[in-house]
Amino acid sequence: MSALRIVIAGAGGRMGRTLTRAVSETTDCLVASALEANGHPDLGADAGVLAGLPALGLPPPDHALPLPARAEALIDFTTTQ
């Protein structure tokens, strides 16, 4: 069985970093991509490094439209201001 591929939205925030760590540490799950809002200071930083892990090779992209096609789930931990 392959790992469940998950996109983390809000990956630069405190909870997004926690979710990235939790998904990365779960054996049957994989962080497929990470999202952050345009203009966020962590945009372009690797999601693993932001979460205190080794680099995952997943800098949050500046265009999220194709990401759901690469995953089976999306965890949205974003806020509106």
Side-chain angles (χ1 to χ4, degrees):
M1 184 172 157
S2 62
L4 178 66
R5 297 175 54 81
I6 301 171
V7 174
I8 307 291
R14 182 176 50 88
M15 291 307 300
R17 293 171 192 220
T18 299
L19 287 166
T20 299
R21 278 192 305 277
V23 170
S24 294
E25 294 169 353
T26 303
T27 58
D28 55 351
C29 294
L30 172 72
V31 178
S33 192
L35 300 174
E36 198 43 81
N38 286 335
H40 190 279
D42 292 322
L43 188 64
D46 186 273
V49 173
L50 290 174
L53 302 169
L56 298 174
L58 298 172
D62 59 359
H63 194 286
L65 190 58
L67 293 181
R70 292 191 248 166
E72 288 86 37
L74 180 138
I75 300 174
D76 183 357
F77 223 99
T78 60
T79 62
T80 58
Q81 297 181 359

